[in-house]
Amino acid sequence: MSDTKVLIIGAGGQVGTELTLALRESYGNQNVIATDIKEAEGIFLDGIYHTLNVLDKDAILDLVKKYKITHIYHLAALLSATAEKNPMFGWELNMDGLLHVLNIAKDNGIKRMYWPSSIAAFGPTTPKTNTPQDCVMDPNTVYGISKQAGERWCEYYFAKYGLDVRSIRYPGLISYKSEPGGGTTDYAIHIFYEALKNGTYECFLSEDTGLPMLYMPDAIKATIDIMEAPAEDIKIRSSYNLAGFTFTPKELADEIRKHIPEFTITYKPDFRQGIANSWPASIDDSRARADWGWKNDYGMTEMVDDMLKNIPVMMEGR
Ligand code: SER
Protein backbone atom coordinates (compact mmCIF):
# COMPACT_ATOMS: atom_id res chain seq x y z
CA MET A 1 0.00 0.00 0.00
CA SER A 2 2.65 2.49 -1.05
CA ASP A 3 0.03 5.11 -1.94
CA THR A 4 -1.08 5.27 1.68
CA LYS A 5 -0.11 8.50 3.44
CA VAL A 6 -1.01 8.55 7.08
CA LEU A 7 -1.60 11.58 9.32
CA ILE A 8 -1.61 10.89 13.06
CA ILE A 9 -3.04 13.65 15.22
CA GLY A 10 -2.14 13.33 18.91
CA ALA A 11 0.80 11.08 18.08
CA GLY A 12 2.59 11.97 21.31
CA GLY A 13 -0.02 10.38 23.56
CA GLN A 14 -0.23 6.94 25.09
CA VAL A 15 -1.78 5.28 22.03
CA GLY A 16 -0.22 7.57 19.43
CA THR A 17 3.37 6.86 20.34
CA GLU A 18 3.04 3.11 19.85
CA LEU A 19 0.73 3.47 16.88
CA THR A 20 3.27 5.69 15.14
CA LEU A 21 5.89 2.96 15.49
CA ALA A 22 3.50 0.31 14.18
CA LEU A 23 2.33 2.39 11.23
CA ARG A 24 5.90 3.30 10.27
CA GLU A 25 6.59 -0.42 10.25
CA SER A 26 3.62 -1.07 7.92
CA TYR A 27 3.88 1.88 5.56
CA GLY A 28 7.45 3.17 5.88
CA ASN A 29 8.71 6.23 7.78
CA GLN A 30 8.25 8.53 4.79
CA ASN A 31 4.52 7.73 4.63
CA VAL A 32 3.66 8.44 8.25
CA ILE A 33 3.24 12.04 9.36
CA ALA A 34 3.11 12.28 13.13
CA THR A 35 1.73 15.41 14.80
CA ASP A 36 1.11 16.55 18.33
CA ILE A 37 0.83 19.80 20.25
CA LYS A 38 4.15 18.95 21.93
CA GLU A 39 7.60 19.54 20.46
CA ALA A 40 9.24 16.52 18.80
CA GLU A 41 11.23 14.23 21.07
CA GLY A 42 12.17 10.56 21.31
CA ILE A 43 10.89 8.41 18.46
CA PHE A 44 9.47 11.45 16.69
CA LEU A 45 12.98 12.64 15.86
CA ASP A 46 13.34 9.63 13.54
CA GLY A 47 10.51 10.44 11.17
CA ILE A 48 8.29 13.18 9.79
CA TYR A 49 6.85 15.27 12.61
CA HIS A 50 4.96 18.54 12.90
CA THR A 51 3.63 20.34 15.94
CA LEU A 52 -0.10 20.73 15.46
CA ASN A 53 -2.98 22.05 17.52
CA VAL A 54 -6.13 20.18 16.49
CA LEU A 55 -8.15 23.33 17.13
CA ASP A 56 -6.26 24.99 14.25
CA LYS A 57 -8.19 23.60 11.32
CA ASP A 58 -6.22 25.51 8.70
CA ALA A 59 -3.02 23.91 9.96
CA ILE A 60 -4.58 20.43 9.70
CA LEU A 61 -5.74 21.16 6.17
CA ASP A 62 -2.28 22.41 5.16
CA LEU A 63 -0.73 19.13 6.25
CA VAL A 64 -3.42 17.05 4.53
CA LYS A 65 -2.72 18.88 1.27
CA LYS A 66 1.05 19.08 1.62
CA TYR A 67 1.45 15.33 2.14
CA LYS A 68 -1.55 14.19 0.06
CA ILE A 69 -2.89 12.37 3.10
CA THR A 70 -5.14 9.33 2.49
CA HIS A 71 -5.65 8.02 6.06
CA ILE A 72 -6.14 9.98 9.30
CA TYR A 73 -5.85 8.69 12.86
CA HIS A 74 -7.27 11.35 15.13
CA LEU A 75 -6.29 10.60 18.71
CA ALA A 76 -5.90 14.01 20.37
CA ALA A 77 -8.20 14.39 23.38
CA LEU A 78 -8.33 15.30 27.05
CA LEU A 79 -8.94 12.10 29.04
CA SER A 80 -11.52 11.60 31.75
CA ALA A 81 -9.82 12.98 34.86
CA THR A 82 -8.20 15.98 33.12
CA ALA A 83 -11.42 16.94 31.35
CA GLU A 84 -13.31 16.98 34.68
CA LYS A 85 -10.90 19.64 35.90
CA ASN A 86 -11.52 21.83 32.87
CA PRO A 87 -14.90 20.86 31.41
CA MET A 88 -15.29 23.60 28.80
CA PHE A 89 -11.80 23.11 27.41
CA GLY A 90 -12.32 19.33 27.45
CA TRP A 91 -15.47 19.74 25.41
CA GLU A 92 -13.87 22.19 22.99
CA LEU A 93 -10.79 20.09 22.37
CA ASN A 94 -12.60 16.77 22.10
CA MET A 95 -15.60 17.96 20.08
CA ASP A 96 -14.29 20.79 17.91
CA GLY A 97 -11.16 18.75 17.26
CA LEU A 98 -13.20 15.81 16.00
CA LEU A 99 -15.49 17.98 13.88
CA HIS A 100 -12.52 19.74 12.26
CA VAL A 101 -11.01 16.40 11.31
CA LEU A 102 -14.33 14.93 10.10
CA ASN A 103 -14.95 17.94 7.87
CA ILE A 104 -11.43 17.96 6.47
CA ALA A 105 -11.65 14.22 5.83
CA LYS A 106 -15.02 14.59 4.07
CA ASP A 107 -13.89 17.51 1.89
CA ASN A 108 -10.47 16.17 0.90
CA GLY A 109 -11.12 12.62 -0.25
CA ILE A 110 -9.68 10.94 2.84
CA LYS A 111 -10.07 7.19 2.26
CA ARG A 112 -10.22 6.07 5.88
CA MET A 113 -10.33 7.78 9.23
CA TYR A 114 -9.90 6.39 12.73
CA TRP A 115 -11.13 7.95 15.95
CA PRO A 116 -11.23 6.24 19.33
CA SER A 117 -14.23 6.18 21.61
CA SER A 118 -14.08 4.74 25.12
CA ILE A 119 -15.86 2.78 27.82
CA ALA A 120 -16.46 6.29 29.18
CA ALA A 121 -19.27 6.63 26.63
CA PHE A 122 -21.33 4.41 28.95
CA GLY A 123 -22.87 5.67 32.17
CA PRO A 124 -24.39 4.81 35.55
CA THR A 125 -27.54 3.11 34.21
CA THR A 126 -25.70 1.13 31.54
CA PRO A 127 -25.69 -2.63 32.32
CA LYS A 128 -22.50 -2.97 34.35
CA THR A 129 -21.26 -6.44 33.47
CA ASN A 130 -20.75 -7.83 30.01
CA THR A 131 -21.97 -4.47 28.74
CA PRO A 132 -23.63 -5.01 25.36
CA GLN A 133 -22.75 -3.18 22.16
CA ASP A 134 -26.17 -1.54 22.09
CA CYS A 135 -27.66 -0.43 25.39
CA VAL A 136 -28.44 2.64 27.48
CA MET A 137 -25.57 5.11 27.29
CA ASP A 138 -25.82 7.97 29.76
CA PRO A 139 -22.25 9.19 30.31
CA ASN A 140 -21.88 11.69 33.14
CA THR A 141 -18.33 12.91 32.57
CA VAL A 142 -17.28 15.57 30.06
CA TYR A 143 -14.98 13.06 28.43
CA GLY A 144 -17.76 10.46 28.22
CA ILE A 145 -20.28 12.95 26.85
CA SER A 146 -17.76 13.98 24.18
CA LYS A 147 -17.17 10.33 23.26
CA GLN A 148 -20.90 9.59 23.06
CA ALA A 149 -21.52 12.67 20.91
CA GLY A 150 -18.46 11.82 18.82
CA GLU A 151 -19.83 8.35 18.11
CA ARG A 152 -23.02 9.90 16.82
CA TRP A 153 -21.05 12.30 14.61
CA CYS A 154 -18.94 9.49 13.14
CA GLU A 155 -22.07 7.51 12.34
CA TYR A 156 -23.60 10.63 10.80
CA TYR A 157 -20.60 11.35 8.56
CA PHE A 158 -20.61 7.76 7.36
CA ALA A 159 -24.36 7.69 6.67
CA LYS A 160 -24.65 11.16 5.19
CA TYR A 161 -21.34 11.64 3.37
CA GLY A 162 -20.01 8.10 3.00
CA LEU A 163 -16.90 8.95 5.01
CA ASP A 164 -15.22 5.65 5.91
CA VAL A 165 -14.66 6.37 9.58
CA ARG A 166 -13.98 3.55 12.01
CA SER A 167 -13.84 3.46 15.77
CA ILE A 168 -13.21 1.34 18.85
CA ARG A 169 -14.40 1.95 22.40
CA TYR A 170 -11.07 1.45 24.16
CA PRO A 171 -11.13 0.10 27.69
CA GLY A 172 -8.33 1.11 30.08
CA LEU A 173 -5.06 0.72 28.17
CA ILE A 174 -1.96 -0.60 29.89
CA SER A 175 1.45 0.19 28.42
CA TYR A 176 5.07 0.74 29.31
CA LYS A 177 6.54 2.36 26.18
CA SER A 178 4.47 5.51 26.60
CA GLU A 179 2.88 7.11 29.61
CA PRO A 180 -0.82 7.65 30.11
CA GLY A 181 -2.08 11.15 30.71
CA GLY A 182 -5.00 12.07 32.90
CA GLY A 183 -7.15 8.96 32.76
CA THR A 184 -9.06 7.11 35.47
CA THR A 185 -7.55 3.78 34.48
CA ASP A 186 -3.97 5.14 34.78
CA TYR A 187 -3.59 3.57 38.23
CA ALA A 188 -3.09 0.23 36.47
CA ILE A 189 0.15 1.61 35.01
CA HIS A 190 1.41 3.74 37.91
CA ILE A 191 1.14 0.71 40.20
CA PHE A 192 3.90 -1.11 38.28
CA TYR A 193 6.36 1.78 38.49
CA GLU A 194 5.72 2.27 42.19
CA ALA A 195 5.94 -1.47 42.88
CA LEU A 196 9.34 -1.62 41.18
CA LYS A 197 10.71 1.64 42.59
CA ASN A 198 9.27 1.78 46.12
CA GLY A 199 7.55 -1.56 46.77
CA THR A 200 4.32 0.20 47.68
CA TYR A 201 1.49 2.05 45.96
CA GLU A 202 -1.38 4.27 47.13
CA CYS A 203 -4.28 3.64 44.78
CA PHE A 204 -6.81 6.37 43.95
CA LEU A 205 -9.55 3.78 43.38
CA SER A 206 -11.01 1.40 45.97
CA GLU A 207 -9.78 -2.18 46.09
CA ASP A 208 -12.91 -3.70 44.53
CA THR A 209 -13.29 -1.36 41.51
CA GLY A 210 -13.41 -3.69 38.51
CA LEU A 211 -12.75 -2.07 35.12
CA PRO A 212 -12.27 -3.48 31.61
CA MET A 213 -8.65 -3.32 30.48
CA LEU A 214 -6.49 -4.15 27.49
CA TYR A 215 -2.74 -4.47 26.99
CA MET A 216 -1.30 -1.98 24.50
CA PRO A 217 0.03 -4.51 21.95
CA ASP A 218 -3.54 -5.80 21.63
CA ALA A 219 -4.93 -2.26 21.37
CA ILE A 220 -2.51 -1.45 18.56
CA LYS A 221 -3.34 -4.72 16.80
CA ALA A 222 -7.07 -3.97 17.07
CA THR A 223 -6.58 -0.43 15.73
CA ILE A 224 -4.61 -1.62 12.73
CA ASP A 225 -6.95 -4.56 12.10
CA ILE A 226 -10.11 -2.47 12.11
CA MET A 227 -8.48 0.01 9.73
CA GLU A 228 -7.31 -2.72 7.36
CA ALA A 229 -10.59 -4.65 7.33
CA PRO A 230 -12.67 -4.47 4.13
CA ALA A 231 -15.28 -1.71 4.43
CA GLU A 232 -18.17 -4.16 4.20
CA ASP A 233 -16.97 -5.94 7.35
CA ILE A 234 -17.31 -2.77 9.42
CA LYS A 235 -20.97 -2.96 10.22
CA ILE A 236 -20.95 -0.62 13.21
CA ARG A 237 -20.13 2.97 12.34
CA SER A 238 -20.49 4.47 15.78
CA SER A 239 -17.84 2.52 17.69
CA TYR A 240 -17.09 -1.12 18.51
CA ASN A 241 -17.04 -2.53 22.05
CA LEU A 242 -13.62 -4.04 22.74
CA ALA A 243 -11.94 -5.57 25.77
CA GLY A 244 -9.25 -7.90 26.96
CA PHE A 245 -9.83 -8.65 30.64
CA THR A 246 -11.22 -7.18 33.85
CA PHE A 247 -9.51 -6.82 37.22
CA THR A 248 -9.83 -4.82 40.42
CA PRO A 249 -6.89 -2.97 42.03
CA LYS A 250 -6.75 -5.73 44.64
CA GLU A 251 -6.57 -8.47 42.01
CA LEU A 252 -3.84 -6.58 40.16
CA ALA A 253 -1.87 -6.11 43.38
CA ASP A 254 -2.18 -9.86 44.11
CA GLU A 255 -0.86 -10.69 40.64
CA ILE A 256 2.09 -8.28 41.06
CA ARG A 257 2.82 -9.85 44.45
CA LYS A 258 3.46 -13.16 42.69
CA HIS A 259 6.58 -11.47 41.28
CA ILE A 260 7.32 -8.98 44.09
CA PRO A 261 6.12 -10.71 47.30
CA GLU A 262 6.86 -7.73 49.57
CA PHE A 263 4.71 -5.32 47.49
CA THR A 264 2.04 -3.49 49.50
CA ILE A 265 -0.93 -1.40 48.39
CA THR A 266 -3.13 1.11 50.22
CA TYR A 267 -6.34 2.72 48.99
CA LYS A 268 -7.31 6.38 49.06
CA PRO A 269 -10.14 6.90 46.56
CA ASP A 270 -10.46 10.43 45.18
CA PHE A 271 -12.80 12.03 42.60
CA ARG A 272 -11.77 9.42 40.05
CA GLN A 273 -13.69 6.82 42.06
CA GLY A 274 -16.94 8.47 40.98
CA ILE A 275 -15.84 8.33 37.35
CA ALA A 276 -14.90 4.65 37.61
CA ASN A 277 -18.20 3.83 39.33
CA SER A 278 -20.11 5.14 36.32
CA TRP A 279 -18.28 2.85 33.87
CA PRO A 280 -18.80 -0.82 32.96
CA ALA A 281 -16.88 -3.53 34.79
CA SER A 282 -16.71 -5.83 31.78
CA ILE A 283 -17.52 -5.57 28.10
CA ASP A 284 -19.20 -7.81 25.54
CA ASP A 285 -17.04 -7.40 22.44
CA SER A 286 -18.56 -10.23 20.41
CA ARG A 287 -19.46 -7.91 17.51
CA ALA A 288 -15.81 -6.94 16.99
CA ARG A 289 -14.87 -10.63 17.16
CA ALA A 290 -17.54 -11.60 14.62
CA ASP A 291 -17.30 -8.67 12.20
CA TRP A 292 -13.56 -8.15 11.76
CA GLY A 293 -11.92 -11.00 13.64
CA TRP A 294 -10.86 -9.25 16.86
CA LYS A 295 -9.09 -11.50 19.35
CA ASN A 296 -6.84 -10.48 22.24
CA ASP A 297 -3.46 -12.22 22.65
CA TYR A 298 -2.78 -11.08 26.22
CA GLY A 299 -4.63 -12.04 29.38
CA MET A 300 -3.99 -10.35 32.71
CA THR A 301 -1.22 -12.77 33.75
CA GLU A 302 0.70 -12.32 30.48
CA MET A 303 0.27 -8.54 30.72
CA VAL A 304 1.68 -8.42 34.28
CA ASP A 305 4.63 -10.65 33.31
CA ASP A 306 5.42 -8.49 30.32
CA MET A 307 5.11 -5.18 32.19
CA LEU A 308 7.40 -6.33 35.00
CA LYS A 309 9.94 -7.62 32.50
CA ASN A 310 10.02 -4.49 30.36
CA ILE A 311 9.61 -1.56 32.76
CA PRO A 312 13.02 -2.10 34.43
CA VAL A 313 14.64 -2.07 30.97
CA MET A 314 12.82 1.18 30.10
CA MET A 315 13.77 2.74 33.46
CA GLU A 316 17.43 1.93 32.89
CA GLY A 317 17.34 3.52 29.45
CA ARG A 318 15.92 6.84 30.76
N1 SER B 1 -8.51 5.29 29.90
C1 SER B 1 -9.46 6.34 29.74
C2 SER B 1 -9.57 7.16 30.95
O1 SER B 1 -9.36 6.62 32.01
C3 SER B 1 -10.81 5.76 29.39
O2 SER B 1 -10.99 5.84 28.03
O3 SER B 1 -9.91 8.30 30.86
Side-chain angles (χ1 to χ4, degrees), residues 79-80 118 143 170 172 183-185 279:
L79 289 193
S80 58
S118 158
Y143 177 67
Y170 288 137
T184 301
T185 55
W279 291 352

Side-chain angles (χ1 to χ4, degrees), residues 3-318:
D3 56 346
T4 300
K5 284 269 181 193
V6 178
L7 177 67
I8 310 171
I9 301 171
Q14 191 196 3
V15 176
T17 306
E18 298 208 25
L19 190 62
T20 300
L21 291 170
L23 291 172
R24 281 180 182 168
E25 192 73 20
S26 299
Y27 301 115
N29 275 25
Q30 72 286 2
N31 294 316
V32 177
I33 290 74
T35 71
D36 200 280
I37 194 138
K38 297 184 279 207
E39 291 296 320
E41 56 172 7
I43 64 147
F44 298 109
L45 300 169
D46 308 328
I48 306 173
Y49 185 89
H50 290 266
T51 53
L52 176 72
N53 178 350
V54 71
L55 295 176
D56 183 349
K57 57 175 186 270
D58 295 337
I60 306 172
L61 183 59
D62 285 348
L63 288 174
V64 165
K65 289 191 167 153
K66 175 174 167 152
Y67 290 102
K68 301 190 171 48
I69 296 296
T70 58
H71 291 53
I72 301 181
Y73 293 76
H74 169 43
L75 308 171
L78 281 200
L79 289 193
S80 58
T82 317
E84 286 313 292
K85 292 186 181 152
N86 196 345
M88 285 306 107
F89 180 61
W91 180 253
E92 184 188 4
L93 184 78
N94 293 2
M95 251 17 277
D96 291 359
L98 173 61
L99 287 168
H100 290 339
V101 180
L102 283 169
N103 283 321
I104 287 170
K106 159 174 92 63
D107 295 339
N108 292 275
I110 293 301
K111 289 190 187 145
R112 283 183 196 176
M113 173 175 158
Y114 178 80
W115 170 83
S117 183
S118 158
I119 52 166
F122 297 111
T125 71
T126 294
K128 200 148 183 77
T129 52
N130 215 20
T131 301
Q133 175 69 40
D134 300 305
C135 59
V136 174
M137 298 176 82
D138 56 349
N140 61 4
T141 61
V142 176
Y143 177 67
I145 299 169
S146 74
K147 289 299 184 188
Q148 166 63 281
E151 287 191 14
R152 301 277 77 77
W153 277 117
C154 287
E155 208 172 45
Y156 184 90
Y157 272 66
F158 173 73
K160 185 128 181 165
Y161 308 116
L163 179 66
D164 189 350
V165 50
R166 304 165 180 212
S167 177
I168 288 171
R169 291 173 183 150
Y170 288 137
L173 298 180
I174 301 169
S175 62
Y176 64 87
K177 288 187 195 159
S178 47
E179 288 179 19
T184 301
T185 55
D186 295 5
Y187 91 84
I189 300 174
H190 298 153
I191 191 172
F192 286 98
Y193 286 88
E194 294 305 313
L196 286 162
K197 269 192 289 190
N198 304 319
T200 185
Y201 177 64
E202 184 180 271
C203 185
F204 57 75
L205 297 181
S206 67
E207 64 174 17
D208 54 356
T209 310
L211 288 169
M213 300 280 182
L214 186 64
Y215 198 32
M216 188 60 89
D218 276 332
I220 298 297
K221 183 179 78 161
T223 306
I224 289 180
D225 285 355
I226 195 175
M227 282 295 272
E228 287 186 349
E232 61 273 18
D233 290 354
I234 307 302
K235 301 193 175 82
I236 293 169
R237 293 297 180 156
S238 51
S239 191
Y240 275 92
N241 273 11
L242 198 96
F245 37 85
T246 285
F247 55 73
T248 63
K250 181 172 184 311
E251 287 163 347
L252 181 56
D254 288 344
E255 192 65 37
I256 291 174
R257 223 171 272 123
K258 290 182 188 163
H259 301 259
I260 309 172
E262 62 283 8
F263 173 61
T264 56
I265 182 165
T266 55
Y267 301 94
K268 197 175 172 202
D270 65 14
F271 74 102
R272 287 168 282 193
Q273 185 67 48
I275 300 178
N277 289 347
S278 75
W279 291 352
S282 57
I283 296 286
D284 174 0
D285 59 5
S286 50
R287 290 296 306 273
R289 290 175 193 267
D291 288 0
W292 44 275
W294 157 244
K295 189 176 147 308
N296 55 309
D297 292 330
Y298 288 83
M300 179 191 178
T301 313
E302 293 84 37
M303 176 277 287
V304 171
D305 282 355
D306 205 57
M307 288 288 279
L308 289 174
K309 202 164 66 203
N310 284 293
I311 292 173
V313 181
M314 292 294 287
M315 289 191 340
E316 243 168 59
R318 273 178 194 162

